[in-house]
Amino acid sequence: MTATIHQLGAARTPSLQPMLNLVAPEMNRVNAVILDRMQSEIPLIPELAGHLIAGGGKRMRPMLTLACARLLDYPGDRHHKLAAAVEFIHTATLLHDDVVDGSDMRRGKTAANLIFGNPAAVLVGDFLFSRSFELMVEDGSLKVLKILSNASAVIAEGEVNQLTAQRQISTSQEKYLDIIGSKTAALFAAACRIAAVVAERPEVDELALDAYGRNLGIAFQLVDDAIDYVSDGVTMGKDAGDDFRDGKVTLPVILAHSRGDVDEKHFWHNAMLGHRVSADDLAYATSLLRKYNAIDDTLERARHYGQRAIDALGPFPASAAKDALVEAVEFAIARAY
Amino acid sequence: MTATIHQLGAARTPSLQPMLNLVAPEMNRVNAVILDRMQSEIPLIPELAGHLIAGGGKRMRPMLTLACARLLDYPGDRHHKLAAAVEFIHTATLLHDDVVDGSDMRRGKTAANLIFGNPAAVLVGDFLFSRSFELMVEDGSLKVLKILSNASAVIAEGEVNQLTAQRQISTSQEKYLDIIGSKTAALFAAACRIAAVVAERPEVDELALDAYGRNLGIAFQLVDDAIDYVSDGVTMGKDAGDDFRDGKVTLPVILAHSRGDVDEKHFWHNAMLGHRVSADDLAYATSLLRKYNAIDDTLERARHYGQRAIDALGPFPASAAKDALVEAVEFAIARAY
């Protein structure tokens, strides 16, 4: 008998479909909780929340909670409420992010803050965040509460850190990794880890799922940051070059800057300060990213973290759930191609 | 032996000093928790949080937690962490409020969002909010978590409700009471109630302290809304007429509008829409408030809720703590005179 060796780079195009199929009936339950618990006597709250929540999105994080619970053969339903809580935290973060960034688009639609105004987006984000804690309290696990309240604080720290790094071309790759580890990977890690808590598995399983989620989250964000320079606005639901115009110093920029000559370094410096934001500037930036292999190398690093995510699943026996979790990693990376 | 009858309207000027004295040593402990737990490796977080937290404020809510615990002779120290959590929730709300309102001043200083920018104010608010839940989780009481997560959701609902009522002169006094019951009184109620939880008192005591805090909170906000039309900018740390210019339909306006003739109603309608915001307009508004006794009647209603707060303390035996809690109510109302 030979073991299945899960490795990135399989011939066929990876898909999220196996994971979607695996959790479809349970995701309906989670969606019902989400719809039920975003209600309020104040009509603006479900209106605004619904714009974003009903407005698509892959429900990646709650899906991970469900798939990880399936990996552990958890037979209960506590994780439905908790998966909804995770999605509420994510939605609150998106609402506040759009206010912070002054975004025009989110998931291919006009961003909520542009339709409903920044004040409403801030306050409804606060409501969803509070509601997520109410859901956790109803579940009653202090361990889950600890994991998710910590993740929330880490996310906010990561967002503030990103804000202070914005327009700073001197941002190091290490700081960039810190930022995405906090703002993106912390919630991926928590979403996976809580499945082990509700399934009452030993800490070693908690940590394995935490590592799976964390590495997947980092890979996911690295790919997002690469795609931002190659997107056509339809696939991503946002325009190519958003990060460039916002002066977000992501890994592709850090690599091209650090490998560039004096003039090129000067260009990146000015571009991140917002002095080079025309279509021509973006085209030049893209040519520099190509010249220094910055997109490919960013994706190579994404594959590194993707492989770590897959290897973190090593302790768990083969199953359809495991295959789906592996393919989710492959899918996250293949999005860029 | 005659019982002490606590009634509003005593001859001498009421003061917050007895309560400050009562809890001073414990408040030092709470302040130490606050300072310790607002730290972060991201320097902007303690900088911004410190601007607001160190920048004054009466620490009214954590002080209430401490005073209520003293009322119940609670001998432990769990409430220090929880009082800090309450203050973090309040601070997060203030930071987001200032972004929502576009405020210039807070506690007599330039508002944090004007110095650090709206994005930082939103994100540091999120951080403090998450941190408050981390503090509660460390304490480990699901009951406290339930009370405070519910209060947080209710506060956010109240803020959204207030946003939708803004500039709407048709706002009813009942809706106004709903709004201040949520955005202000819910946290006062929770701050008091959790003292009974940590002291492991029966639910009847929890509810009594909840009622004390809730009625005090309503009285407090009514007085604030009255003061907004008589403030001199020094006493309140904000300018007179802020609510008028922001189109906030508070009880003084609701009363003057509902008692006014057609022309006066028309004036209020336009004023709340932001078409009458000059100094002359404010002076005319103030004359209408006087003509219809709107400020005095607002304060009369504050006294009504104040008396309900005091009467809610009925079940508790006489003590220095009880006297201090009673005088805090008297002080809250006397601020207006």
Side-chain angles (χ1 to χ4, degrees), chain A residues 40 42 44-45 96 100 120 123 126-127 129-130 133-134 137 140 142 146 149-150 152-153 156-157 159-161 163, chain B residues 40 42 44 96 119-120 123 126-127 129-130 133-134 137 140 142 145-146 149-150 152-153 156-157 160-161 163-164:
Chain A
S40 160
I42 318 300
L44 179 57
I45 290 177
H96 288 183
V100 166
L123 297 175
D126 289 350
F127 172 79
F129 198 56
S130 304
F133 278 93
E134 289 195 286
V137 170
L142 279 167
K146 183 173 182 177
S149 62
N150 178 254
S152 299
E157 281 185 306
E159 300 272 0
V160 176
N161 204 7
L163 195 64
Chain B
S40 161
I42 318 299
L44 180 56
H96 288 183
L123 297 175
D126 290 350
F127 172 78
F129 198 57
S130 304
F133 277 94
E134 288 195 287
V137 170
L142 279 167
L145 274 156
K146 183 174 180 175
S149 62
N150 180 254
S152 299
E157 279 184 307
V160 176
N161 205 7
L163 194 65
T164 62

Side-chain angles (χ1 to χ4, degrees), chain B residues 12-24 27 57-64 67 188 212 216 220 320-321 323-335:
Chain B
R12 84 196 156 77
T13 309
S15 154
L16 209 53
Q17 205 55 49
M19 185 140 95
L20 289 166
N21 295 342
L22 184 79
V23 303
M27 189 56 87
K58 293 177 291 297
R59 301 260 204 280
M60 193 72 192
R61 294 152 192 82
M63 190 155 56
L64 286 169
F188 274 77
Y212 167 80
L216 170 59
F220 193 89
D323 289 343
L325 286 164
V326 168
E327 194 164 338
V329 176
E330 295 166 344
F331 166 78
I333 289 160
R335 289 180 304 148

Side-chain angles (χ1 to χ4, degrees), chain A:
Chain A
M1 182 174 139
T2 47
T4 315
I5 298 179
H6 288 297
Q7 265 186 320
L8 281 167
R12 84 196 156 76
T13 309
S15 155
L16 210 52
Q17 205 55 50
M19 185 139 95
L20 288 166
N21 294 342
L22 182 81
V23 301
E26 294 198 293
M27 189 55 88
N28 287 336
R29 302 272 307 276
V30 174
N31 283 332
V33 177
I34 287 174
L35 281 173
D36 180 44
R37 302 310 288 273
M38 72 184 208
Q39 296 308 313
S40 160
E41 285 175 21
I42 318 300
L44 179 57
I45 290 177
E47 259 174 57
L48 195 158
H51 172 81
L52 191 57
I53 288 176
K58 293 176 291 297
R59 301 259 204 282
M60 192 71 191
R61 293 151 193 82
M63 190 155 56
L64 285 169
T65 305
L66 298 180
C68 288
R70 182 64 67 91
L71 178 77
L72 304 174
D73 287 324
Y74 170 64
D77 59 7
R78 283 175 54 194
H79 58 321
H80 299 156
K81 225 175 233 181
L82 295 175
V86 166
E87 185 68 4
F88 278 171
I89 292 175
H90 177 56
T91 310
T93 308
L94 292 186
L95 283 171
H96 288 183
D97 272 0
D98 285 343
V99 171
V100 166
D101 291 345
S103 311
D104 299 335
M105 286 174 81
R106 168 69 69 185
R107 292 174 175 166
K109 298 172 69 173
T110 306
N113 55 313
L114 280 197
I115 300 176
F116 300 95
N118 280 337
V122 169
L123 297 175
V124 174
D126 289 350
F127 172 79
L128 291 175
F129 198 56
S130 304
R131 196 37 71 85
S132 83
F133 278 93
E134 289 195 286
L135 283 164
M136 291 177 233
V137 170
E138 283 173 32
D139 173 69
S141 161
L142 279 167
K143 209 164 180 181
V144 168
L145 274 156
K146 183 173 182 177
I147 290 166
L148 283 171
S149 62
N150 178 254
S152 299
V154 167
I155 291 167
E157 281 185 306
E159 300 272 0
V160 176
N161 204 7
Q162 174 172 261
L163 195 64
T164 60
Q166 200 164 0
R167 307 208 172 281
Q168 307 284 322
I169 190 62
S170 60
T171 305
S172 67
Q173 46 178 337
E174 303 309 319
K175 179 162 183 174
Y176 166 83
L177 281 171
D178 270 358
I179 290 171
I180 69 174
S182 301
K183 74 162 189 164
T184 307
L187 193 55
F188 274 76
C192 295
R193 181 173 190 162
I194 59 175
V197 176
V198 296
E200 296 176 22
R201 291 299 192 105
E203 198 184 10
V204 62
D205 288 351
E206 275 184 48
L207 294 178
L209 291 182
D210 186 287
Y212 167 81
R214 191 172 304 276
N215 285 300
L216 171 58
I218 294 172
F220 194 88
Q221 188 63 54
L222 283 164
V223 172
D224 262 12
D225 290 347
I227 289 178
D228 195 80
Y229 283 93
V230 296
S231 158
D232 57 10
V234 177
T235 2
M236 279 290 279
K238 63 174 191 174
D239 296 325
D242 275 352
D243 289 349
F244 180 72
R245 282 180 293 271
D246 290 345
K248 291 213 171 141
V249 184
T250 56
L251 189 60
V253 172
I254 293 170
L255 294 179
H257 173 261
S258 100
R259 295 169 184 179
D261 63 27
V262 172
D263 287 346
E264 290 160 350
K265 279 187 161 67
H266 191 66
F267 167 79
W268 286 115
H269 177 81
N270 284 324
M272 291 297 105
L273 287 174
H275 304 150
R276 298 276 182 277
V277 294
S278 72
D280 281 353
D281 292 323
L282 178 58
Y284 180 60
T286 311
S287 78
L288 290 179
L289 295 174
R290 217 168 14 241
K291 178 176 175 187
Y292 292 106
N293 225 23
I295 299 294
D296 282 349
D297 285 358
T298 296
L299 295 174
E300 182 53 42
R301 297 203 189 178
R303 275 192 295 278
H304 160 88
Y305 287 100
Q307 188 61 53
R308 279 166 66 169
I310 290 170
D311 286 330
L313 297 175
F316 305 104
S319 70
K322 183 166 173 172
D323 288 344
L325 287 165
V326 168
E327 193 163 340
V329 177
E330 295 166 344
F331 166 78
I333 289 162
R335 289 180 306 148
Y337 293 99

Side-chain angles (χ1 to χ4, degrees), chain B residues 198-274:
Chain B
V198 296
E200 297 177 20
R201 290 298 192 105
E203 197 183 11
V204 64
D205 288 352
E206 275 184 47
L207 295 178
L209 291 183
D210 185 287
Y212 167 80
R214 191 173 304 278
N215 285 299
L216 170 59
I218 294 172
F220 193 89
Q221 188 63 54
L222 283 164
V223 172
D224 262 12
D225 291 347
I227 289 178
D228 195 80
Y229 284 93
V230 296
S231 157
D232 58 9
V234 175
T235 1
M236 278 290 280
K238 63 176 191 171
D239 296 325
D242 275 351
D243 290 350
F244 181 73
R245 282 180 292 270
D246 289 345
K248 290 213 172 143
V249 185
T250 57
L251 189 60
V253 172
I254 292 171
L255 293 179
H257 172 260
S258 101
R259 295 168 184 181
D261 65 24
V262 172
D263 287 346
E264 291 160 350
K265 281 187 160 65
H266 191 66
F267 167 80
W268 286 115
H269 177 80
N270 284 325
M272 290 297 105
L273 287 175

